[in-house]
Amino acid sequence: MIRLLAVDIDGTLLDGRGQLPDAHRDSLVDAVAAGIDVALVTGRTFHFARPIADLLPIPLTLVVNNGAVVKRKTGETEIRNVLSRDAARVVLAETRHLEDSVAVVFDRPDERQIVFERMDWSHPHRRGYYEKNQAFISHTPALMSEVLADDPIQVMFNGSVAPMRALVAALRSSAGADRFSVAITEYEARDF
């Protein structure tokens, strides 16, 4: 007997245009009616995933930030696995040359959830993300390492595929690699 249905959001629950097909919504409603728990699982932050969850008239669990945070649809945190400030500082120190493509992501209830120092939000691959999330994105005039008053969920980089692959390799082989894990999402066709 199936007791839990875990569903990815982008490209699975949502169609290629980012819309929720009625058939997908109705299938999840039917699953809950049959006694199956439903979880949305995504790399998105909670606040970026919540509008999708709100389209579903069912109780949900949201596994967000690539599994680092688990919340109820109502916002209560069930599980939080954060990156230590010290480990984040190590990553930021080793990647200072990428300051224009890095943001630090926090589990906060306000606009300081995604903090950046320098980022070109007009870049075609960043613009949509910024437009959808700007209420949660904050600029800091200080060095990124100085905004770490609490432990972040992640240090997030973005850019073309080749430099990001090089970054992944460098981080995985760095002296502090035992203090963090590295995940990569790539869109080769978009070189992002």
Side-chain angles (χ1 to χ4, degrees), residues 76-96:
E76 295 95 16
T77 301
E78 297 288 330
I79 300 171
R80 234 174 131 248
N81 293 304
V82 295
L83 179 65
S84 76
R85 281 171 275 194
D86 292 337
R89 285 187 182 102
V90 167
V91 170
L92 291 167
E94 291 183 13
T95 58
R96 189 73 187 134

Side-chain angles (χ1 to χ4, degrees), residues 32 43 67 84 96 105 119 123 154 161 170-172 181 186:
V32 170
S84 76
R96 189 73 187 134
V105 181
M119 183 84 65
H123 186 284
Q154 71 186 91
V161 171
L171 287 173
R172 286 182 175 155
S181 62
E186 349 179 297

Side-chain angles (χ1 to χ4, degrees), residues 59-120:
L60 287 170
T61 298
L62 287 93
V63 181
V64 295
N65 296 94
N66 294 315
V69 178
V70 178
K71 291 184 179 269
R72 294 184 187 178
K73 183 178 179 180
T74 53
E76 295 95 16
T77 301
E78 297 288 330
I79 300 171
R80 234 174 131 248
N81 293 304
V82 295
L83 179 65
S84 76
R85 281 171 275 194
D86 292 337
R89 285 187 182 102
V90 167
V91 170
L92 291 167
E94 291 183 13
T95 58
R96 189 73 187 134
H97 64 287
L98 296 170
E99 66 187 12
D100 62 342
S101 63
V102 63
V104 179
V105 181
F106 296 92
D107 182 24
R108 295 173 170 162
D110 59 26
E111 72 280 353
R112 300 170 308 119
Q113 293 174 31
I114 302 168
V115 180
F116 71 97
E117 181 182 343
R118 292 182 339 139
M119 183 84 65
D120 177 8

Side-chain angles (χ1 to χ4, degrees), residues 108-158:
R108 295 173 170 162
D110 59 26
E111 72 280 353
R112 300 170 308 119
Q113 293 174 31
I114 302 168
V115 180
F116 71 97
E117 181 182 343
R118 292 182 339 139
M119 183 84 65
D120 177 8
W121 292 110
S122 67
H123 186 284
H125 298 308
R126 295 179 184 141
R127 185 176 33 246
Y129 181 86
Y130 180 76
E131 289 170 358
K132 292 177 184 173
N133 291 285
Q134 65 184 345
F136 310 111
I137 297 174
S138 176
H139 171 259
T140 179
L143 293 174
M144 291 299 291
S145 58
E146 294 175 14
V147 302
L148 297 170
D150 50 330
D151 294 333
I153 297 171
Q154 71 186 91
V155 177
M156 174 176 66
F157 296 86
N158 65 76

